[in-house]
Amino acid sequence: MCHSPAMQVLSWAQFDQAVQQLASRFADSAVTGVYGVPRGGLCLAVALSHALDRPLLSAPERSALIVDDVYETGRTLQALKVQVPQASFAVWVSKGCPDWWMAAVIAESSEWLVFPWENLEQARADEQAYRASRGL
């Protein structure tokens, strides 16, 4: 019987704290709107749009703050950085040391993260599919 690594279940209170941290970092910036990477970045984008009093964008723009829930492999944000290199980037949780992106939290383990808007059972299935797709 295989055991998958432990999961870290994140709370709405932790989400609120992350939004406050990121909003304070970008409050005086020149970003003109917030774009959230579908799906995981959408909740963060809506919350930051309100906190920063900037519009929620339907597409990434050069003066946007582009956000996602987690920086895991970097594929998603790196592709967007190629598309709009002038944009600002941020995530709730980074599993790598932030370089050109900001992070509210830097993960100290490789645990699978379950965000407050996710279903725990679906998160387990997502983790298995992710690990299988990468031969882990």
Side-chain angles (χ1 to χ4, degrees):
M1 188 146 112
C2 289
H3 284 287
S4 63
M7 292 186 155
Q8 181 180 359
V9 179
L10 300 169
S11 69
W12 283 112
Q14 290 169 301
F15 174 78
D16 291 341
Q17 186 177 33
V19 169
Q20 288 175 348
Q21 286 177 340
L22 292 173
S24 69
R25 289 184 189 172
F26 289 97
D28 296 324
S29 73
V31 299
T32 58
V34 183
Y35 172 76
V37 176
R39 293 185 312 186
L42 291 173
C43 290
L44 184 58
V46 169
L48 284 169
S49 171
H50 286 284
L52 294 169
D53 195 25
R54 307 256 184 14
L56 181 66
L57 303 172
S58 60
E61 297 176 1
R62 60 185 297 140
S63 60
L65 171 57
I66 297 173
V67 300
D68 205 357
D69 54 354
V70 62
Y71 185 101
E72 182 114 23
T73 64
R75 289 183 195 170
T76 304
L77 285 189
Q78 287 171 354
L80 285 163
K81 184 159 179 61
V82 167
Q83 184 181 343
V84 280
Q86 307 86 351
S88 298
F89 296 85
V91 295
W92 176 358
V93 180
S94 182
K95 290 191 175 182
C97 189
D99 182 9
W100 45 267
W101 69 95
M102 294 282 188
V105 175
I106 299 171
E108 296 181 12
S109 74
S110 61
E111 289 179 319
W112 189 262
L113 302 172
V114 182
F115 293 91
W117 52 84
E118 292 182 305
N119 172 288
L120 186 56
E121 291 306 312
Q122 184 61 50
R124 286 188 177 116
D126 290 346
E127 176 195 22
Q128 290 175 351
Y130 173 85
R131 293 189 188 286
S133 74
R134 286 162 176 76
L136 303 173

